[in-house]
Structure formats: structure tokens, C-alpha cells
Amino acid sequence: MKVSENLKSIIEKIEESCRKSGRDPRDVKIVGVTKYVSEERAVEAFEAGVLHFGENRDDGLDRKRAVLGDKPVWHFIGSLQTRKVKSVIGKADYIHSLDRLSLAEEIQKRAALPQKCFVQVNVSGEESKHGLKPEEVLDFIRECSEHDKIILEGLMTMAPLTEDQELIRKCFRELKELQEKIQQLGIKNAPCHELSMGMSNDYQIAVEEGATFIRIGTALVG
Ligand SMILES: *Cc1c(COP(=O)(O)O)cnc(C)c1O
């Protein structure tokens, strides 16, 4: 399938979910996840109108940046090893996987300009998933607020891999509630106005529950 056709159908589904939940579709941004596809396919996606791109490894980010440069907005969505920070910083506009203080400290040390980050939260509690436990997030955000090179734009999660739609919905809803608590703290470098949630098989639920960035690979470029 052409990316343009996939994109059209995804946009229609986003619009449908927005109608259901009373949201403005302009508040939902699609991050095209190109980690499994070629540079050519990424270029095709850009030409089809995808403005945000997500990669989960530093070398993948470099390869896609080599063909698309600074034209798109770049998102680093994979778990980030501390020693890899220096090869991602300055290249990714957003890092979606901030999940520990040592990583925040390394970003603080390496960043020339403030770095937009998402705190990754393991809402589902699955052991295979990265991220802070929901009950750890508020303290973590208070601690991060000492680092002026980090801007906490929002929260990120991955829903469990399940057919159970209600379980997925509950997971997204919890992330939204956590966001509201963080916003009440009124911390200057933690505006936390974004929610990065929803992938190919659950983005409609995520949009209904308030996602502002959905990260789509398979359904868009696969
Ligand atoms: C791979 C990946 C995606 C995209 O997954 P699809 O199911 O292909 O849409 C989204 N988010 C993260 C963190 C990923 O690693």
C-alpha cells in the first residue's frame, strides 16, 4: 500500500474518534514510526504529508536524518541507554523514553539547548515494558525540575498487547489522570501538555482518551 493511502485512512479514523470524544483533530499529531523501513519509504511518507518521524535507535535516526534532514520533527521513541545520549541529543526534537534520573542527568550534561522529553510510564505493569511505575512519576518530575535543560512536555506509555479493548482504554485513561495531577503541580519546566500514546492497533482508543501524539509504524509504512 502507498503511504498516502494508509495516511488517508488513518486520518479518517482519527477524525471519527475525535467526533466520538468531542476533540479537535488538529490536536492529534501522527508520528510516523519508520524503524522497520527503508530511507525511501520514509521519504515517501514525508512526501505524503507526514511531518513527525519516530526512530528507536541512534543509527536509525542518523540514517533517516541523512535523507530528510531538519525538515520533519524527529522523535526518539526507543529505550535510551545513557551512553547513547550524546548521539541522540541535538538530533531528536523529542525524547519519548525518559524513565530514570541517571538519564535525566546525562541529558542535562550533554544538551546545549533545552531538550523536550516525555516521561515514559509503565501503566500496564507488564515486566517486559520500560517506564516508571505510575506512583513514582510525581516524585520523579519534582526531581527532574532541577534540571533546566529538560522540558517535560508530557507522558508516554505503551498499552498492553491484548485484545481486551477495555484494558487498553483503562491504561490510556490512567495516563491522562496522571497528566492532570502533574499539571496541578505547576512546575515551570514540566508543562506536561502532551500525551504520547497509541500505536497501529490501538490509536483510535488512544485518541478517544486524549492522545496528542500517536506513534504509528505498521499501519502507516508497513
Ligand atoms: C515500534 C513502536 C511503535 C509503532 O508500532 P506499530 O505497532 O508498528 O505502530 C510505537 N511506539 C514505540 C515505542 C515503538 O517502539
Side-chain angles (χ1 to χ4, degrees):
M1 283 280 271
K2 282 194 193 156
V3 178
S4 57
E5 289 166 24
N6 293 337
L7 182 62
K8 187 162 170 281
S9 113
I10 292 167
I11 291 172
E12 282 166 9
K13 287 183 179 146
I14 292 171
E15 286 169 349
E16 182 192 311
S17 298
C18 282
R19 270 196 302 279
K20 262 188 170 174
S21 53
R23 297 190 61 203
D24 184 340
R26 285 172 300 189
D27 294 336
V28 183
K29 284 145 303 220
I30 299 169
V31 179
V33 176
T34 45
K35 66 187 185 197
Y36 353 73
V37 302
S38 65
E39 287 88 322
E40 291 71 31
R41 191 73 166 158
V43 170
E44 187 194 338
F46 182 74
E47 285 169 355
V50 176
L51 301 173
H52 294 259
F53 285 78
E55 283 284 331
N56 66 342
R57 292 172 53 127
D58 61 334
D59 49 351
L61 182 63
D62 284 342
R63 277 204 300 277
K64 301 305 188 318
R65 280 189 64 99
V67 289
L68 287 170
D70 283 327
K71 287 180 282 184
V73 179
W74 293 101
H75 297 256
F76 189 86
I77 61 169
S79 68
L80 182 54
Q81 290 172 282
T82 309
R83 65 185 176 87
K84 294 281 189 186
V85 167
K86 60 177 180 299
S87 47
V88 167
I89 212 96
K91 298 177 190 167
D93 299 283
Y94 292 84
I95 293 174
H96 286 238
S97 46
L98 179 57
D99 61 357
R100 57 193 190 278
L101 220 47
S102 57
L103 185 56
E105 283 160 3
E106 182 68 8
I107 294 171
Q108 173 70 24
K109 192 168 107 188
R110 301 275 177 188
L113 298 168
Q115 173 68 52
K116 293 177 185 167
C117 296
F118 284 82
V119 173
Q120 185 168 353
V121 189
N122 184 359
V123 182
S124 71
E126 286 174 301
E127 271 188 29
S128 60
K129 290 212 160 64
H130 290 270
L132 291 161
K133 294 184 184 136
E135 61 270 25
E136 296 170 336
V137 173
L138 288 182
D139 280 344
F140 180 73
I141 290 202
R142 287 192 193 96
E143 285 167 323
C144 275
S145 69
E146 291 160 20
H147 297 311
D148 62 353
K149 291 286 170 43
I150 292 183
I151 306 175
L152 296 173
E153 289 286 324
L155 303 177
M156 180 275 215
T157 200
M158 289 169 86
L161 239 170
T162 168
E163 297 289 303
D164 184 344
Q165 309 272 301
E166 281 317 302
L167 200 62
I168 294 171
R169 188 178 296 281
K170 189 166 155 269
C171 176
F172 293 149
R173 199 167 280 174
E174 262 187 69
L175 199 71
K176 174 82 191 172
E177 287 166 7
L178 201 52
Q179 177 195 35
E180 287 164 0
K181 284 188 197 150
I182 292 160
Q183 287 176 330
Q184 283 165 14
L185 297 178
I187 294 175
K188 192 166 139 274
N189 58 347
C192 206
H193 40 222
E194 309 285 4
L195 284 177
S196 168
M197 57 189 197
M199 311 189 351
S200 289
N201 49 19
D202 56 20
Y203 68 89
Q204 286 195 269
I205 307 175
V207 170
E208 285 168 29
E209 297 302 329
T212 60
F213 284 104
I214 54 176
R215 309 176 309 268
I216 307 197
T218 319
L220 182 67
V221 292

